[in-house]
Amino acid sequence: MCFLSSFFLSDSTPALLLLVLTCSVWQLSQSLPVKGKEPITDSCVLHAQTLLRSITEVLRNSTDAQRNLFSGIDCMAQNMVLNMETNTPSVCSPEGSTCSGITKLEFDQDSCMTDMKKDLNHYYKFLAAHSDSLLGQTVLPSLRELMENCFQLPLPGDIKEAAADRASTYDERLNLCKVLKGFQVRTITINRVIGYMKSDEHTK
């Protein structure tokens, strides 16, 4: 399995972050094409970028609404919580990439799409429970656009809606911060995967 690391960027840095990988799985110029699959559209690239930008802005902006969302919490100093039910970075690594001395022989787009769909469903269900907050105006609409238009995912029906008459506790907001940071990192991975599948290499 490949290990991921991210580096801190200042507030003046563009919202679309870069993820530093400790192995060479995302060297797109050396990647081989995905055969027999429909290409990813430009709009899907934009939807993925918009989602990443929305998450990043929620985590970094110093607006009044943001302070209310994470009041009393230094969110950027917290650890992230990732969805451990999927292995998207490894499953979606490009064909011919090498990680930990092992060369991946093929890129299984079906398995990759399955893991990404599971990630998106997982985070949608969690974040929908906070839809009364800033997330309902920013992250959730961007996530819905990506799910419906690029992954043909129906919105999950078994969602606990946010209670408008109950304020979130400190522990709930702390957990939200950690999960949102994990979602940010996973969304960076999804952006890279979509970029790989959209690459001109796929048509050669």
Side-chain angles (χ1 to χ4, degrees):
M1 179 177 177
C2 301
F3 294 92
L4 310 179
S5 59
S6 59
F7 55 89
F8 182 83
L9 300 176
S10 66
D11 291 340
S12 60
T13 305
L16 182 59
L17 305 180
L18 297 177
L19 186 64
V20 178
L21 302 175
T22 58
C23 56
S24 58
V25 297
W26 297 110
Q27 295 178 356
L28 300 185
S29 62
Q30 300 177 10
S31 300
L32 299 177
V34 178
K35 300 179 180 65
K37 300 294 181 181
E38 291 297 321
I40 294 293
T41 64
D42 289 334
S43 63
C44 289
V45 174
L46 293 176
H47 284 316
Q49 291 175 350
T50 299
L51 174 60
L52 178 56
R53 188 176 299 111
S54 297
I55 298 169
T56 302
E57 288 175 352
V58 169
L59 288 171
R60 290 175 178 260
N61 280 355
S62 58
T63 63
D64 289 340
Q66 171 66 15
R67 283 197 295 268
N68 289 336
L69 182 59
F70 296 126
S71 177
I73 299 172
D74 185 357
C75 189
M76 297 308 297
Q78 304 302 318
N79 295 325
M80 71 182 74
V81 174
L82 284 167
N83 178 20
M84 302 306 294
E85 297 178 359
T86 61
N87 196 18
T88 305
S90 177
V91 172
C92 294
S93 60
E95 179 180 349
S97 60
T98 301
C99 184
S100 301
I102 301 174
T103 299
K104 188 169 183 179
L105 299 180
E106 63 179 359
F107 175 73
D108 187 340
Q109 184 167 333
D110 289 337
S111 296
C112 176
M113 291 292 288
T114 296
D115 261 32
M116 289 194 292
K117 287 178 180 180
K118 289 179 179 178
D119 279 327
L120 296 175
N121 265 315
H122 169 83
Y123 286 109
Y124 187 87
K125 288 180 179 180
F126 178 87
L127 296 176
H130 302 272
S131 59
D132 60 331
S133 68
L134 184 63
L135 300 178
Q137 306 167 26
T138 55
V139 176
L140 280 173
S142 300
L143 179 52
R144 280 194 292 267
E145 288 290 323
L146 181 63
M147 292 173 68
E148 294 178 331
N149 296 315
C150 301
F151 290 88
Q152 290 74 53
L153 280 173
L155 298 182
D158 55 338
I159 294 177
K160 295 180 179 180
E161 296 293 338
D165 58 346
R166 187 183 72 84
S168 298
T169 67
Y170 176 88
D171 286 342
E172 288 171 338
R173 290 185 293 107
L174 178 62
N175 186 50
L176 173 60
C177 162
K178 293 179 178 180
V179 172
L180 195 59
K181 289 187 70 176
F183 187 30
Q184 181 190 41
V185 170
R186 187 53 51 87
T187 303
I188 293 170
T189 299
I190 290 173
N191 267 265
R192 290 208 173 233
V193 173
I194 289 176
Y196 170 67
M197 292 192 290
K198 180 65 179 64
S199 171
D200 289 340
E201 289 292 323
H202 298 135
T203 62
K204 295 180 181 178

